[in-house]
Amino acid sequence: MPSRAFPVLTAEEAAQFIENGNVVGTSGFTAAGACKVVLKAVAARAKAAHTAGDPFQIKLLTGASTGPSLDGALAEANAISFRTPYQSDGSLRRKINDGSISFYDTHLSHIPQYVEYGFLGNIDVAVVEAVSVSPEGFVYLTTSVGASPTYLKHADKVIIELNRYHDPRLREIHDIYTPAPPPNRAPLPLQHALDRIGTPYCMVDPAKIVGVVETNLPDEAGGFREPDDACKAIGQHVADFLADEMKAGRIPKSMLPVQAGVGNVANAVMATLGSDHRIPAFPMFTEVVMDSMIDLIAAGRVTGASTAALTLSPEKLQEVYANFNRFERSLVLRPQAVSNNPEAVRRLGVISMNTALEVDIYGHVNSTNVCGSRMMNGIGGSGDFTRNAYISIFMTPSIAKNGAISAIVPFASHVDHNEHSVQVVVTEHGLADLRAKPPKERARLIIDNCADPSYRPLLNEYLQSSAMGHMPHNLARAFEFHTRFLETGSMMPK
């Protein structure tokens, strides 16, 4: 038992190993596999220090977003000075946008190698959730892998949250493989999306493990909303497009691996895609597995999923545990250095599907910053897949806030994915295939097929007013949708 090999600590005792100014790496790729008690105790310690007039903040590195007991608790306690690479917590977002927390937004596949290269400094403490840990230092993770293998390898001290809530059989779907740094990095030995190339455990020097904290807590993951009409329409447009691509011979009859970002739109699109029998059963090579994907695996419509996290509602996760013999060969949990690996995405021919905040008429996509300035969540893994996909698709409802915001704008207020990487744009109104299209033709396709009808006259008028050139823009008016929204609360003229 772990208690015989390592000290069993309370969360409060474990928190004493984390000091002001420490760089802390944690498990968690979404709320899946995120630590639940130790960082919450660190937040309480920070509050007490601040009350006493003492400084206490850490630099926090994770796999992606985490749960309220990690990102939320630390943000509310003013216990974070620096955060990377991705987040989705409201309290943390507010502090990033008011300048209280420095946030480094970067591609998820970059974080493990940045740690390997020393770009992010020394990791003082790693706090990682596991289903078990052996005296030899074999750490078997829970519902995500993320960057945990890298943090365990490089941290000076390690704290294990041993979570009894999760099924110990999770070890059967883990595949831990860490690419070596250059110049000794070999090609990934992946020939198919579901190939297993590593071990079921992370290896850590047992001398670094300062203690184990026992818990019995579910992941703090919410479910997904029932898809609305807009999401259903987007899903149908994507399904029609892929079916047509197969008919034209541009996608093989056996289909290609699919990646879908996290969120209600992606979850709804996957459900629609999986129910369309013009498209054969296909594998997923993705970064998150959502509820709809589990349903599609159970129905035989998805052959299996390679992922970094099981981002499931509590009910769906229990369904997986209750039918583990069915899912054991259909799910592979990998480090994000592999799940998001650009070389694998390009070679396997992954079709990427991600959600945009806004798209401009030439196909530039903003995934991160509202009105160009206020961080929403971060780029996450969307760039890892988009830049290297066989076909890259971006999806968004055409309007938000009852029509006060158009997702199709003259000029994106921030660009995460440029027109060289974005191939297909989809809203509930239609689909614009931008492949091999020059800028003016892209603009016509996006306005006519994707923009909400109420905004099409404004977009057409802008396009006609723009100067001549390869990619015409009227720089005096390029951001008038955004400035009008900031001044009046609507992109639509009064």
Side-chain angles (χ1 to χ4, degrees):
M1 293 292 292
S3 58
R4 297 176 187 171
F6 308 108
V8 176
L9 308 173
T10 65
E12 292 72 24
E13 290 169 337
Q16 297 301 312
F17 288 96
I18 297 174
E19 301 292 343
N20 177 46
N22 276 180
V23 177
V24 179
T26 76
S27 62
F29 196 102
T30 67
C35 301
K36 300 171 179 62
V37 296
V38 173
L39 277 298
K40 199 171 183 179
V42 171
R45 186 178 173 201
K47 283 183 179 179
H50 298 158
T51 300
D54 297 325
F56 195 106
Q57 290 188 315
I58 63 172
K59 297 178 180 179
L60 182 63
L61 285 57
T62 66
S65 57
T66 69
S69 294
L70 205 165
D71 272 337
L74 289 171
E76 290 164 11
N78 295 315
I80 303 174
S81 62
F82 173 88
R83 176 72 168 82
T84 195
Y86 181 85
Q87 56 76 40
S88 62
D89 181 82
S91 297
L92 179 54
R93 183 184 302 118
R94 285 190 292 274
K95 291 184 180 295
I96 289 169
N97 284 316
D98 71 17
S100 302
I101 294 174
S102 297
F103 181 60
Y104 174 49
D105 186 26
T106 191
H107 306 290
L108 297 185
S109 69
H110 287 185
I111 287 297
Q113 67 183 26
Y114 281 5
V115 174
E116 288 278 354
Y117 302 164
F119 294 176
L120 294 173
N122 182 65
I123 308 297
D124 295 296
V125 184
V127 188
V128 171
E129 185 180 83
V131 292
S132 66
V133 54
S134 77
E136 298 80 17
F138 294 0
V139 179
Y140 296 88
L141 302 172
T142 61
T143 47
S144 72
V145 181
S148 295
T150 302
Y151 298 147
L152 288 169
K153 175 182 176 182
H154 288 276
D156 294 335
K157 303 173 191 173
V158 171
I159 299 166
I160 302 294
E161 285 196 10
L162 193 61
N163 194 340
R164 306 295 189 187
Y165 175 86
H166 291 295
D167 192 325
R169 289 191 66 188
L170 279 172
R171 68 181 68 188
E172 298 173 31
I173 65 173
H174 281 277
D175 188 61
I176 311 301
Y177 178 95
T178 303
N184 302 311
R185 177 167 293 178
L188 285 180
L190 276 173
Q191 296 297 313
H192 305 282
L194 300 180
D195 285 352
R196 303 192 183 211
I197 60 175
T199 65
Y201 53 81
C202 305
M203 190 68 201
V204 61
D205 179 355
K208 298 197 303 184
I209 301 177
V210 298
V212 168
V213 178
E214 297 192 348
T215 68
N216 193 328
L217 295 167
D219 287 336
E220 297 173 325
F224 294 95
R225 297 191 302 268
E226 284 296 313
D228 59 17
D229 290 341
C231 289
K232 290 178 182 178
I234 291 169
Q236 194 58 57
H237 293 315
V238 172
D240 290 343
F241 169 75
L242 295 179
D244 288 344
E245 288 295 290
M246 293 183 68
K247 187 175 181 180
R250 290 186 288 267
I251 293 177
K253 293 186 183 298
S254 58
M255 192 50 180
L256 291 168
V258 171
Q259 175 261 342
V262 70
N264 288 295
V265 174
N267 198 53
V269 169
M270 280 303 305
T272 303
L273 192 62
S275 65
D276 193 317
H277 286 271
R278 294 174 298 171
I279 299 167
F282 54 88
M284 303 286 298
F285 191 82
T286 191
E287 57 187 347
V288 291
V289 162
M290 299 174 290
D291 285 13
S292 61
M293 300 176 195
I294 295 299
D295 294 336
L296 294 175
I297 292 172
R301 296 292 295 135
V302 165
T303 58
S306 165
T307 183
L310 299 180
T311 306
L312 305 176
S313 64
E315 298 78 17
K316 193 60 64 177
L317 182 61
Q318 288 304 317
E319 182 181 324
V320 170
Y321 289 164
N323 299 278
F324 208 87
N325 288 339
R326 169 68 182 84
F327 292 104
E328 184 266 331
R329 297 308 304 173
S330 302
L331 295 171
V332 185
L333 278 172
R334 307 189 191 278
Q336 65 202 69
V338 177
S339 68
N340 292 46
N341 188 280
E343 183 265 337
V345 171
R346 176 67 62 89
R347 183 162 44 80
L348 294 174
V350 174
I351 298 170
S352 71
M353 301 190 299
N354 290 285
T355 305
L357 282 179
E358 65 181 9
V359 183
D360 73 24
I361 58 176
Y362 297 115
H364 301 91
V365 168
N366 175 10
S367 297
T368 58
N369 283 271
V370 177
C371 287
S373 299
R374 298 190 65 79
M375 173 59 63
M376 179 59 72
N377 297 328
I379 194 169
S382 58
D384 295 324
F385 289 93
T386 295
R387 181 66 182 90
N388 303 283
Y390 183 83
I391 301 175
S392 61
I393 301 172
F394 275 93
M395 312 169 294
T396 179
S398 65
I399 54 175
K401 293 188 179 296
N402 297 315
I405 294 175
S406 173
I408 308 300
V409 295
F411 202 173
S413 59
H414 174 88
V415 176
D416 293 293
H417 314 283
N418 64 40
E419 84 280 12
H420 305 299
S421 302
V422 177
Q423 296 174 313
V424 177
V425 174
V426 192
T427 71
E428 73 274 24
H429 297 296
L431 180 146
D433 181 356
L434 309 180
R435 292 172 297 176
K437 303 295 193 301
K440 293 174 187 176
E441 190 172 348
R442 288 202 296 267
R444 289 295 176 199
L445 285 170
I446 291 172
I447 293 171
D448 293 346
N449 294 357
C450 300
D452 188 82
S454 64
Y455 280 95
R456 288 176 191 172
L458 294 172
L459 292 164
N460 278 315
E461 193 274 328
Y462 170 82
L463 183 61
Q464 292 164 7
S465 76
S466 299
M468 296 298 291
H470 175 64
M471 189 175 292
H473 268 304
N474 184 334
L475 293 183
R477 299 182 56 194
F479 296 116
E480 66 182 4
F481 277 35
H482 303 90
T483 55
R484 187 184 297 129
F485 174 77
L486 293 173
E487 291 169 359
T488 71
S490 176
M491 291 183 174
M492 186 68 70
K494 297 293 186 182

